[in-house]
Amino acid sequence: MGSGQRVAVFGAYGHTGRFVVAELVERGYVPIVSGRDAGRLRELAASYGPGPGLDVRPAPVDDPAALDRALAGAVAVINCAGPFAVTAAPVIEAALRAGIPYVDVAAEIEANLDTFAHFGERARAAKAVVIPAMAFFGGLSDLLVTAAMGDWTSADEAHIAYGLSSWHPTAGTRTAGAVSRERRDGRRVRYSGGRLEYHDDALPTLKWSFPEPMGAREVIGEFSMADVVTVPSHLTIPEVRGYMAAEAARDLAAADTPAPVAVGGGEGNGDRRSSQTFVVDVVVRAGGVERRAVARGRDIYAVSAPLAVEAVGWVLAGRTRGVGAGVLSAGAVFDSVGFLGALSAHISVELFR
Ligand SMILES: NC(=O)c1ccc[n+]([C@@H]2O[C@H](COP(=O)([O-])OP(=O)(O)OC[C@H]3O[C@@H](n4cnc5c(N)ncnc54)[C@H](OP(=O)(O)O)[C@@H]3O)[C@@H](O)[C@H]2O)c1
């Protein structure tokens, strides 16, 4: 548990940032809440009432001195402010200056690639741990692929099927999608033949057999999420394919789908999760043999908080599989089965291998 250690959350008053702040408080850390709007940070802190409270330290992303003040005395930083194309580099730079681990929840393929490309060497040299996409997309899926692999070091294919009951996107999700689309000139991306491939093919509609009770569902194939970066960063798998439940993909595409709403009241210590449920069904194949990992839970935004906060706890405790430092994906840095087991209050996982 945190026992009063300070962890900075950049983008603290965003939808995901609030879940991360709540998770840190629950685990005994003192969150330093940072971001560009001082008023919204103060409001967030006030909502926690009297007590040890939150440490409010505003910082725009283009002010290195303010970022340094925000990270002073922190043992780690979690970046929840997207678009990460804008925020990741300056917050990583600040984390490197402060000599503390950096974790983000980025689901922007190009921004995730940039983090590996631009900071790999420097993070290694600085003996710093940088973990991008430590969230539902990218992090959880990578842990599941790694867990399903077991003793395999390579495989022919990995298939990651997202069975979301619905997808009410936040403003941040919509912005991330728009920024990524613009960065790839409206093209699509898939991971095939051992590399990322940009293309203009229509995405196929397929049937995926999710485990019961969900069963067979229509999915959109080649629906690439951050796992096309995180999985190949440490596993030799030439085909990494994503699939998204067709209803959820339609929700995401529709301009009028509302943002997620808390069903448990949402204020104070209430349950701020939405009613959305998820099944992530991962299948890996090697030489005609199939292994599988299935995760179930509620609310893809809410569940990103225990993923990111658990990661900070494991890095601070040195539970990093001897990989040392650098830009690392969740499955590379943590014992995937142990890590997923530690999250059993939030995610139920079954392995078939
Ligand atoms: N990998 C995953 O599974 C996963 C899970 C959850 C979230 N995410 C990603 O995390 C990001 C945030 O999502 P969300 O749901 O929390 O969205 P949100 O509620 O819209 O929050 C976005 C946050 O980012 C801040 N922000 C945006 N641009 C900024 C900038 N230039 N400088 C400083 N702060 C900035 C916003 O502050 P202002 O209000 O002041 O603009 C706000 O605090 C999105 O990119 C989303 O894709 C990924």
Side-chain angles (χ1 to χ4, degrees):
M1 296 295 268
S3 61
Q5 288 176 307
R6 282 177 150 65
V7 173
V9 183
F10 192 75
Y13 55 80
H15 186 75
T16 308
R18 285 169 188 268
F19 281 117
V20 169
V21 168
E23 186 72 24
L24 287 168
V25 169
E26 169 106 16
R27 293 181 183 220
Y29 294 97
V30 175
I32 297 170
V33 292
S34 193
R36 61 180 166 187
D37 187 326
R40 294 191 68 191
L41 292 171
R42 278 195 296 270
E43 268 171 40
L44 172 62
S47 75
Y48 278 79
L54 312 184
D55 189 346
V56 176
R57 302 196 203 164
V61 83
D62 57 358
D63 183 345
L67 284 172
D68 288 349
R69 284 193 295 275
L71 302 197
V75 292
V77 57
I78 303 176
N79 185 3
C80 300
F84 292 87
V86 176
T87 69
V91 182
I92 296 172
E93 294 281 3
L96 292 177
R97 288 194 298 276
I100 58 174
Y102 166 96
V103 168
D104 75 32
V105 301
E108 290 161 48
I109 290 168
E110 287 72 18
N112 296 132
L113 286 169
D114 284 350
T115 297
F116 277 95
H118 298 161
F119 292 101
E121 281 294 308
R122 287 187 49 209
R124 264 192 304 280
K127 298 196 178 3
V129 173
V130 171
I131 310 178
M134 191 59 235
F136 178 79
F137 292 114
L140 175 60
S141 42
D142 182 39
L143 289 162
L144 291 169
V145 171
T146 310
M149 294 279 284
D151 58 353
W152 292 352
T153 51
S154 63
D156 302 323
E157 302 161 15
H159 301 270
I160 302 156
Y162 291 103
L164 309 189
S165 61
S166 63
W167 190 349
H168 289 195
T170 61
T173 294
R174 290 194 186 279
T175 307
V179 168
S180 292
R181 261 192 307 282
E182 197 178 306
R183 289 192 71 180
R184 57 180 85 125
D185 291 330
R187 305 192 80 198
R188 301 195 168 99
V189 64
R190 64 186 163 218
Y191 191 84
S192 182
R195 61 187 186 86
L196 273 183
E197 196 175 86
Y198 287 86
H199 66 94
D200 299 308
D201 302 341
L203 299 185
T205 300
L206 310 160
K207 275 260 153 59
W208 183 272
S209 291
F210 288 97
E212 293 302 335
M214 190 172 243
R217 287 294 167 98
E218 203 173 78
V219 294
I220 307 299
E222 296 182 4
F223 199 100
S224 297
M225 300 304 291
D227 23 59
V228 298
V229 179
T230 54
V231 171
S233 75
H234 67 107
L235 294 170
T236 306
I237 309 178
E239 305 293 323
V240 179
R241 303 263 170 81
Y243 306 81
M244 177 59 66
E247 303 95 305
R250 276 194 288 271
D251 282 348
L252 181 65
D256 58 354
T257 305
V261 174
V263 291
E267 295 307 319
N269 294 325
D271 184 352
R272 293 176 40 250
R273 292 179 302 169
S274 71
S275 59
Q276 178 199 47
T277 58
F278 64 79
V279 176
V280 187
D281 189 12
V282 164
V283 174
V284 290
R285 292 197 189 101
V289 179
E290 187 170 293
R291 292 178 172 180
R292 195 166 193 164
V294 180
R296 292 183 174 80
R298 210 176 115 200
D299 193 329
I300 62 173
Y301 296 97
V303 85
S304 293
L307 281 159
V309 174
E310 190 75 24
V312 165
W314 280 48
V315 171
L316 293 175
R319 299 173 74 181
T320 52
R321 273 180 66 181
V323 290
V327 178
L328 300 158
S329 298
V333 71
F334 304 124
D335 157 32
S336 56
V337 175
F339 192 95
L340 290 166
L343 293 176
S344 60
H346 306 276
I347 305 168
S348 71
V349 175
E350 285 175 283
L351 295 177
F352 306 90
R353 53 181 203 196

